[in-house]
Amino acid sequence: MTPRIIATGSALPERIVTNDDLSRKMDTSDEWIRTRTGIRERRISEDDGKEKLLKLSVRAAEAAIAMAEADGAFSREEIGLVLVATCTPDMAFPAMACRLQDALSLPQVAAFDLSLACSGFLAALDTASAYIESGRCRTALVVGGDVMSRMLNWDDRNTAVLFGDGAGAVILSADERFIAACTGGNTAEEKSADEKAADAFRPRFALHSDGGGEAALYCKAMYFNENEPESEHMDGRKVFEFAVRKVPEVIGEVLRLAGTDAEDISLFVLHQANYRIIEAVAKRLKRPIEKFPHNIERCGNTTAGSMPILLDELNREGKLRRGDVLCLSGFGAGLSYGAAVLRW
Ligand code: COA
């Protein structure tokens, strides 16, 4: 079965924190943050500690479900898998996916979280695709979201200015048209043509971790024990250099897997960590910067939320047309990195 994204949703907290707001709290400036990262403002969650990510995830998932329902004969009863990619769950357990399943009154299907920081959404999308391709389920709800504001040391200007909170959701479903195409033909020739068509629409993924990058990006503990606060630590320059080297490499790998070229990609939806990283990747791939949409200026780095939030914004702005070939790429703690090619 060939999985496709049939609907998207996203949710950002109400509260906007500008660079000037931060410069009143720490030794930084709007000019430094803008020129080094492209960020102008970010959204920071103010909800009750235990429900921060759940609230954002519910809003994002409900928006995606409403879009799927408006688009055709879809019912939430069809969801056969619930995945949440996050490194900032509201509680150690139960998993965010189980709590989301309950909040959305979803069927009693497999629901679990995936933790791979900024690469988490890509890993969850890959997992959901594998479930659908293998026939384990036909439709999956995949949420990526983080409330990094809980993990930040607000006295550390090296990290605090970079992140924002937010969640995005997609509904991934077996594409009926291609199921029909694959089963419609009778002759050997027709069957082979159907298989080729389905194969062309199959999403491809390449996912890696160097496994040795702990020192460059880590957080030792969760914030559940308020007496032992732990915050994120980062070697920004190392992560920057890693991203600029590895993202074009893994995009090249997935393009080869998909049998396509960078020129055929309608849009590159990259993890939003730093606008300068996006520019450097565009340059290395020799593609125009217009092919690299961004929302980092408004959202900052929303960790696992960044790609699905951007996808939802593009979708709702009518910038994604059915049949477009998209390339997604993410990177982060691990150090992990990956890319996907999928047909919209
Ligand atoms: N405001 C003002 N000055 C700041 C600052 C801030 N918010 N944060 C750091 N600085 C200072 C540092 O103290 C340092 O000063 P020093 O040279 O006197 O020691 C200097 O700015 C650092 O400059 P530099 O290392 O040249 O910055 P940079 O161009 O590498 O940009 C990052 C720093 C963090 C923006 C950049 O490295 C980056 O984006 N890295 C990737 C981070 C990332 O994406 N993390 C998430 C991965 S998913």
Side-chain angles (χ1 to χ4, degrees), residues 24-238:
R24 284 189 280 275
K25 284 203 233 166
M26 62 184 80
D27 183 16
T28 188
S29 66
D30 174 55
E31 202 266 336
W32 193 96
I33 303 171
R34 260 190 305 105
T35 54
R36 301 295 169 114
T37 70
I39 301 169
R40 290 172 184 273
E41 60 187 40
R42 71 286 292 140
R43 302 293 186 100
I44 299 293
S45 181
E46 286 181 301
D47 287 320
D48 163 48
K50 269 179 78 178
E51 303 297 342
K52 285 183 174 183
L53 186 59
L54 185 64
K55 281 190 179 166
L56 290 172
S57 303
V58 167
R59 273 175 52 205
E62 284 287 16
I65 290 170
M67 183 185 281
E69 283 170 347
D71 225 28
F74 172 86
S75 135
R76 68 182 68 205
E77 293 298 311
E78 291 168 33
I79 293 173
L81 174 70
V82 185
L83 297 181
V84 176
T86 187
C87 59
T88 54
D90 292 333
M91 296 162 67
F93 54 84
M96 286 303 306
C98 302
R99 300 182 70 222
L100 182 64
Q101 185 179 31
D102 179 57
L104 298 173
S105 304
L106 298 180
Q108 292 186 16
V109 296
F112 53 92
D113 291 357
L114 253 127
S115 170
L116 198 59
C118 298
S119 310
F121 176 73
L122 210 58
L125 201 62
D126 189 2
T127 306
S129 292
Y131 260 68
I132 293 172
E133 281 188 44
S134 69
R136 291 280 302 275
C137 72
R138 290 171 66 93
T139 301
L141 170 65
V142 182
V143 173
D146 272 298
V147 181
M148 281 301 283
S149 61
R150 298 187 71 175
M151 278 208 176
L152 293 172
N153 172 357
W154 288 99
D155 294 324
D156 178 12
R157 66 179 186 173
N158 290 295
T159 51
V161 302
L162 302 178
F163 294 89
D165 301 335
V170 301
I171 296 176
L172 201 66
S173 192
D175 190 305
E176 300 295 342
R177 217 152 38 97
F178 285 92
I179 297 169
C182 293
T183 53
N186 290 321
T187 66
E189 263 177 25
E190 282 168 340
K191 280 191 172 142
S192 149
D194 288 345
E195 274 163 27
K196 269 193 198 146
D199 201 46
F201 275 69
R202 196 155 64 82
R204 313 285 166 152
F205 292 88
L207 207 58
H208 300 277
S209 167
D210 76 3
E214 185 181 307
L217 196 52
Y218 69 93
C219 180
K220 273 192 189 161
M222 291 280 186
Y223 35 72
F224 307 126
N225 183 352
E226 307 291 350
N227 298 325
E228 285 180 38
E230 240 312 318
S231 56
E232 196 206 358
H233 300 267
M234 185 183 72
D235 180 340
R237 192 163 282 187
K238 201 160 189 174

